Amino acid sequence: MAITAAMVKELRESTGAGMMDAKKALVETDGDMEAAVDWLRTKGLAKAAKKSGRTAAEGLVAVIVDGGKGVAVEVNSETDFVAKNGEFQTMVAGIAKAALGVNTVEELAEADLGGKSVANTLTDKIATIGENMTLRRLEKLEGDVVVSYVHNAATDGMGKIGVLVALTGGDETIGKQIAMHIAAVNPAALSEADLDPAIVEKERQVQIDIARESGKPDAVIEKMIVGRMQKFVAESTLLSQQFVVNPDLTVEAAAKEAGATITGFVRVEVGEGIVVEKEDFAAEVAKAAQG
């Protein structure tokens, strides 16, 4: 039987499956729509698709370093319970290892993981574990020395916050201390030159508005803004921040004492930036009753 685009569209809309999966299901079942739905369900594809609209804001960040190259990968789940699941953790570790050989999330999704693509592996896990999961971010860092750190680790090399630090000179000890500082303080950039100009301008406008509220003369206000912006830059950039291990030193000075120069860093925290929609209980019950 000829499989038409309209048939594929109908099956996709009823199951939420992907176009290629819907077409394959119809081919396998000779165009029988009900049988195609069952085929998708047995493969876990319809079940996975139905869960794909649910917000996945929990999960894990995995970090791995190979010589002078480090990667940090974020894989999300719906609940922290799944993030503690050994099967999920094994998958995330495999994804992180695969990430060493690619440069983008898109490439990582297509990378091989035990004979299947990472994307297909995720689809299978959605079906077996029963939660939506997403491959969200891949960050890479290279340097003479790259050191990793995981805060709030769930298991070796993965947890809620993953940090990579690149150094010239220095050793694992100072690298780990700097990585811990980054995890705790969350600097916006390495140095003033690396700060997003839009963020700097936004802060400047805020400080101008605050200063004008004081009613002081313009000349005084200008000096106030200069001082406050210097403080903002110092507090926002890694090299200028007070080192948590020794607040008498800046991070840059502490690195220099250890014979190191910091050339870059990556900090990835699970779920940052994801907006989780919340419903009140009455609305949730009403929605369930309608469904």
Side-chain angles (χ1 to χ4, degrees), residues 100-152:
L100 284 166
V102 299
N103 293 307
T104 67
V105 170
E106 291 75 20
E107 289 176 5
L108 180 55
E110 297 302 318
D112 179 74
L113 189 61
K116 291 182 184 177
S117 70
V118 168
N120 285 340
T121 301
L122 270 171
T123 298
D124 290 347
K125 281 291 182 288
I126 291 169
T128 57
I129 292 179
E131 279 196 12
N132 187 27
M133 300 172 199
T134 56
L135 175 62
R136 187 174 181 227
R137 281 188 288 177
L138 163 62
E139 299 286 347
K140 304 194 76 171
L141 191 66
E142 294 187 18
D144 291 349
V145 177
V146 177
V147 179
S148 66
Y149 169 71
V150 174
H151 182 68
N152 196 12

Side-chain angles (χ1 to χ4, degrees), residues 20-62:
M20 297 308 295
D21 291 328
K23 185 175 180 180
K24 186 174 181 181
L26 287 164
V27 169
E28 292 290 330
T29 58
D30 198 29
D32 186 322
M33 195 65 66
E34 288 188 13
V37 172
D38 289 339
W39 187 90
L40 287 167
R41 289 182 65 195
T42 59
K43 299 295 183 183
L45 297 171
K47 184 179 179 182
K50 286 177 182 177
K51 295 179 185 297
S52 65
R54 303 205 308 227
T55 303
E58 295 291 342
L60 291 170
V61 174

